[in-house]
Amino acid sequence: MAEQESAAVLVADDEERVLRQVSTTLEKAGFTVFTALGRSAALEFCRDGKEPVQLAIIDMALGAGGRDLVQELYQFNPGVRVLFTSHQDESASIQQAGPSGCFRGFLKKPFRRSQLLGSVLRAMDAPLALTA
């Protein structure tokens, strides 16, 4: 889809290797990708507000389960969708993260490129009024 090919994605993680792998995979799929290494860089990106993103892929290890990042990002990007990642299966604990409707899924690390792309495409296709 043309909309997905031009969609912007923020990837926030504290592992540089993960940032490289995820950004490379998404760029090859046609997405515009912004990366934030660590909590401070992610918060700075959110507060900057210059680059609207349609999807944020946030590692839950970035403080408060990533919830504060979602709140910051949502202030500047009310239509943002969020996909969380973690080494632990925390999918049950993140349903309340962020405003209603922004949570789009959870990926347990390590994940395959095909799993990443499938989750991203599902998150981008899901209507904002529904939660995953």
Side-chain angles (χ1 to χ4, degrees):
M1 281 184 194
E3 180 182 328
Q4 290 171 335
E5 292 173 358
S6 62
V9 178
L10 168 64
V11 182
D13 201 293
D14 58 356
E15 297 179 61
E16 193 170 339
R17 178 187 54 79
V18 172
L19 286 179
R20 279 194 313 270
Q21 289 176 336
V22 171
S23 64
T24 299
T25 298
L26 295 179
E27 286 168 353
K28 286 181 180 179
F31 292 92
T32 300
V33 181
F34 302 96
T35 59
L37 179 60
R39 177 182 163 74
S40 296
L43 284 171
E44 184 178 323
F45 179 90
C46 295
R47 291 178 182 147
D48 183 32
K50 289 182 183 175
E51 302 292 344
V53 294
Q54 287 75 42
L55 177 68
I57 301 173
I58 299 174
D59 181 11
M60 294 187 68
L62 295 181
R67 289 179 176 91
D68 55 343
L69 295 179
V70 174
Q71 294 296 337
E72 287 273 345
L73 185 57
Y74 198 79
Q75 287 179 5
F76 300 104
N77 269 314
V80 70
R81 295 163 168 95
V82 177
L83 181 63
F84 282 111
T85 65
S86 177
H87 287 287
Q88 307 298 319
D89 185 356
E90 301 183 44
S91 55
S93 68
I94 55 178
Q95 291 293 334
Q96 300 303 317
S100 176
C102 75
F103 173 65
R104 290 292 181 267
F106 174 82
L107 268 174
K108 185 176 183 302
K109 295 179 183 179
F111 44 80
R112 294 186 305 271
R113 293 175 202 271
S114 60
Q115 290 173 303
L116 170 66
L117 284 174
S119 293
V120 167
L121 293 174
R122 281 189 301 278
M124 297 302 291
D125 281 342
L128 276 175
L130 301 176
T131 57

